[in-house]
Amino acid sequence: MATSRSSRKPARPGEYIARALVYSGRPDPAWPVSSRLVKRLLEIWDSLPRWPGVLPAAPPLGYRGCV
């Protein structure tokens, strides 16, 4: 089975790319994100309480998160 290769270029310093981890063997969708939005998302993330439970295992196929 052949693997797919992404044609996306790496982000430059100060440039942010969001990506949804949804496909197996295919390129995941990605889009640029402004540094202003990244700053706000980090503020929200830092304000969230810690999860007290056990983290679930990632599913073998389908949605696996985002970066």
Side-chain angles (χ1 to χ4, degrees):
M1 172 186 240
T3 59
S4 64
R5 295 193 183 268
S6 174
S7 61
R8 285 179 254 132
K9 294 180 181 177
R12 295 185 303 254
E15 183 178 277
Y16 298 94
I17 304 293
R19 189 173 54 159
L21 306 175
V22 293
Y23 296 121
S24 176
R26 307 261 316 157
D28 290 320
W31 57 96
V33 180
S34 71
S35 58
R36 181 177 171 191
L37 179 57
V38 169
K39 181 180 177 188
R40 180 66 184 126
L41 290 171
L42 289 173
E43 290 169 355
I44 292 169
W45 181 261
D46 290 338
S47 72
L48 295 172
R50 290 188 176 264
W51 173 254
V54 177
L55 296 177
L61 293 175
Y63 178 73
R64 293 171 296 156
C66 59
V67 293

